[in-house]
Amino acid sequence: MPPRIHLSLPHMGGREPEFIKDAFDSNWIVPLGPNVDGFEKDLEAFLRDGVYVAALTTGTAALHLGLVLLGVEAGDEVLCQSFTFSASANPIRYQGATPVFVDSEPDTWNISPYFLEEAIRDRIKKGKKPKAVIPVHLYGMPAKMDEILSVANRYEIPVLEDAAESLGSTYKGISCGTFGDLAALSFNGNKIITTSGGGALVSGNETFIRKARFLATQARDTAPHYQHSEIGYNYRMSNICAGIGRGQMFVLPDRVKRRRVINRLYREGLSAIEGVSFQTEFSSDYYSNYWLTSIIVDPSKTNGVTREDIRLACESANIETRPLWKPMHLQPVFKECPFYGDGTSDRLFENGLCLPSGSILTDVQINEVILNVKTTLL
Ligand SMILES: *Cc1c(COP(=O)(O)O)cnc(C)c1O
């Protein structure tokens, strides 16, 4: 059996150990230090002028702190894209608030501006204005940010962008992760670049980011003893992990390019097949890092072959594929939460499959995947 072809594995650039060695040589083996500061600066320079970054332990921690900074408390409601990974929604619960899930629209697979407005109006009518909205750029595809921001602004609801999958993606030439009042990035092992585990909070509002760094280091007041006037968190990124991040920043543009090449190879290999379609940039406004190339398989056009048939066939060839995220409104843990939509994300989940897309994969491996998918379908 050939070695397993994974969805998305870490892909080191080579310079990461230099920064880790610096940390050892200077004994900065703590959750702060020169690599943390350097990594934040690198991210700020990469994203956009005038944004500030706090490096944290995980993307989930970044989303949680984002909600804390927006003042989300027990009993509040927070709007959240339903079609996403559970980490987008869990932090709403950490705050004791209720997620209100919103369906996707079919162009980008991300939060529907139409149902977002429906949800806001209905929640207000029922007596509670939502405290924040969490759109996601799923699989790297930018959400319809103009429309989302215009709805959010109309009702004066702050936006916390979940950009965990979309570092390197742009909408109208502007980096994903710089549209919201706040945004979360992730550097988990499976993301486009990694620090093994890690995340960051991004904002154009420097006060938010200063406050995030304060809260992420146990909210210590200035005093010789340990004094606290607020509840703190232990969410700051380790200086070792940040060293990996600094090394990875050198290769981030290459990683985006490679994932886009992989996406193109899949399109060339599969798009002629009846019943197979791709998550696709809706117009030239959208530039996806194509973190995971994702297809939709329509069994009514494939003589009944389903995405599950393809997944099982790939599995027996030692190729890892995965159904699209199961929407949050279908998750047992969130079954009591309100949902606004028309079933778009249900259908995407039913028929969608993520293909191996790691930048570390070779063309030969991608062709192997294409061959297996094709053989199942033809
Ligand atoms: C990975 C991911 C997260 C969480 O990031 P971690 O760093 O793993 O905590 C949040 N949202 C989405 C959409 C993700 O894919």
Side-chain angles (χ1 to χ4, degrees), residues 66-209:
L67 293 175
V68 171
L69 289 166
L70 293 174
V72 171
E73 292 173 353
D76 287 340
E77 292 186 348
V78 174
L79 300 149
C80 183
Q81 181 164 324
S82 184
F83 194 39
T84 186
F85 178 47
S86 63
S88 306
N90 284 336
I92 302 170
R93 278 286 201 235
Y94 302 166
Q95 286 306 96
T98 302
V100 173
F101 292 115
V102 180
D103 211 347
S104 290
E105 46 77 22
D107 300 332
T108 68
W109 301 6
N110 291 310
I111 195 167
S112 153
Y114 173 81
F115 286 113
L116 175 62
E117 180 150 26
E118 286 264 303
I120 294 172
R121 284 204 191 148
D122 193 54
R123 298 327 290 175
I124 290 174
K125 204 162 73 195
K126 290 191 160 70
K128 227 175 237 179
K129 182 169 130 176
K131 274 294 195 61
V133 51
I134 305 178
V136 188
H137 309 290
L138 217 60
Y139 306 121
M141 184 63 70
K144 292 192 166 172
M145 286 316 297
D146 274 356
E147 290 89 334
I148 294 162
L149 289 171
S150 109
V151 172
N153 291 340
R154 195 169 321 136
Y155 296 90
E156 298 183 321
I157 297 173
V159 174
L160 170 57
E161 243 180 302
D162 183 342
E165 300 177 358
S166 60
L167 183 59
S169 300
T170 63
Y171 173 72
K172 296 190 170 174
I174 296 166
S175 293
C176 288
T178 68
F179 291 96
D181 297 81
L182 289 152
L185 305 176
S186 169
F187 314 108
N188 196 10
N190 58 350
K191 298 304 199 300
I192 190 142
I193 60 164
T194 184
T195 59
S196 69
L201 192 65
V202 184
S203 180
N205 179 341
E206 193 179 8
T207 312
F208 270 156
I209 296 305

